[in-house]
Amino acid sequence: MSNKILVTRSSMPDYEEYCEEIKELWDSHWLTNMGVKHKQLQAELEKMLDVPHVTLYTNGHLALENVIAAMNLPKSGEVITTPFTFASTTHAIVRNGLTPVFCDVNENDYTIDVTKIEDLITGKTCAIIPVHVYGNMCAVEEIEKIAKKYDLKVIYDAAHAFGVEYKGKSSASFGDASMFSFHATKVFNTIEGGAVCFHDDNLVQKLNDLKNFGIHGPEEVAYIGGNAKMNEFQAAMGICNLKHLESEIAKRKAVVERYRSNLKNIDGIKLCGVQADVKSNYAYFPVVFDEKIFGASRNEIFDVLAENGIGARKYFYPLTNTFECFNGKYNVNDTPVALHISKRVLTLPLYADLSLDDVDRICDIILRCKKGI
Ligand code: T4K
């Protein structure tokens, strides 16, 4: 084994391309606070995602915190969400003084189980924050129906879903808003970064103020905001990476297809189904292992891969409703499907430049763990 293979590897432009993009920052000395690169990236994203408004952030988590804050939700409000996600989703809700109410996920794509949402709605429910986990689209039409019926806000945690389309529409176009992460580990990155996409013109000024200490004008502070602005170097990275997005996704597709062909029809291995009407971004490759059939547990396979220098990850284990910081407040048995999947899932290495030979090697190592092989 030569080099280690980690779960992902940042996509980057050529060094010269990035240097060229940031050259003018040396001339202008303008490094942050909504400069020219910030404006350019915002405009390019609005066009590409076909949404009227994009607000940029220094990371996806603060984007989510800010958009929740902008929605004027009642302080004692309950927000329906899922625990099969990164810590950020739940923390953004709690840090806004709201109460997460955990809905289970479905067994096909691990997004929110829409048949279980209505049972969780109470007089205090004010919003739904579903997660397009692994870039799998939630059942957006059913969620919209429920939200309309009960007058709830819908904010998608679309951290994984940049570049995904459903029925020809970008993933950014659904709900009241969608949050994207542009972290180094994502299909599209601005080093660290994030965005909120939305339709409501009235939110533009508020979101811009909130990410800049709540400052509305030179002598007016309208909100108790923090600092969540994307800087010019981040935006410049985004401008470069956006040019290569399509080719990066095409390369990821080849990697995913190789994984699928190597691991399909293996007893004890469950792959995520391919979603109908969805153009994927091939963000993650989750595999669920059934120890009783496969003969080796997820944890054993994780260890064997690690011994071979391969860094698969247990995204998403543990579930957020088991985190010790919540002091036993939530009952993990309320979300049995999420619990089942989180104990068995492993996301395999996936990035644009992962060679197909390496994919074969990873699959060989996994298949050698199978009982009887
Ligand atoms: N909502 C959801 C559903 C999310 O998944 C996330 C973030 C958020 C919200 C919040 O968005 P951000 O505020 O992060 O924009 C990573 C990422 O840090 C995090 O962005 C991501 N989700 C989460 C799923 O994964 P870790 O702790 O697993 O990352 P780390 O540092 O172990 O990196 C993973 C692998 O990536 C490394 O083994 C190698 C590679 N890597 C990493 C870095 C930092 C690179 O190639 N380049 C790099 O610069 O959390």
Side-chain angles (χ1 to χ4, degrees), residues 16-28:
E16 291 75 20
E17 187 183 349
Y18 185 63
C19 289
E20 191 56 39
E21 194 62 49
I22 58 174
K23 221 175 188 174
E24 64 183 285
L25 303 179
W26 260 262
D27 300 331
S28 69

Side-chain angles (χ1 to χ4, degrees), residues 42 46 52-55 57 70 198-211 216 223:
Q42 182 180 316
E46 284 169 355
H53 304 296
V54 171
T55 310
Y57 294 85
F198 56 101
H199 293 85
D200 184 357
D201 298 343
N202 297 317
L203 273 181
V204 177
Q205 191 62 51
K206 186 167 187 185
L207 282 171
N208 280 331
D209 293 351
L210 274 173
K211 72 175 180 181
H216 185 68
Y223 309 104

Side-chain angles (χ1 to χ4, degrees), residues 6-11 58-62 64 84-89 131-133 157-160 179-186 191-194 284 311 313 315-316:
L6 299 175
V7 70
T8 195
R9 186 162 177 254
S10 299
S11 292
T58 193
N59 59 55
H61 177 76
L62 287 176
L64 189 56
F84 188 68
T85 182
F86 195 53
S88 170
T89 320
V131 184
H132 297 311
V133 69
D157 180 333
H160 303 170
M179 177 283 290
F180 293 90
S181 164
F182 301 153
H183 183 261
T185 53
K186 297 297 186 287
I191 309 171
E192 290 262 7
Y284 292 86
R313 292 296 280 267
Y315 293 139
F316 288 98

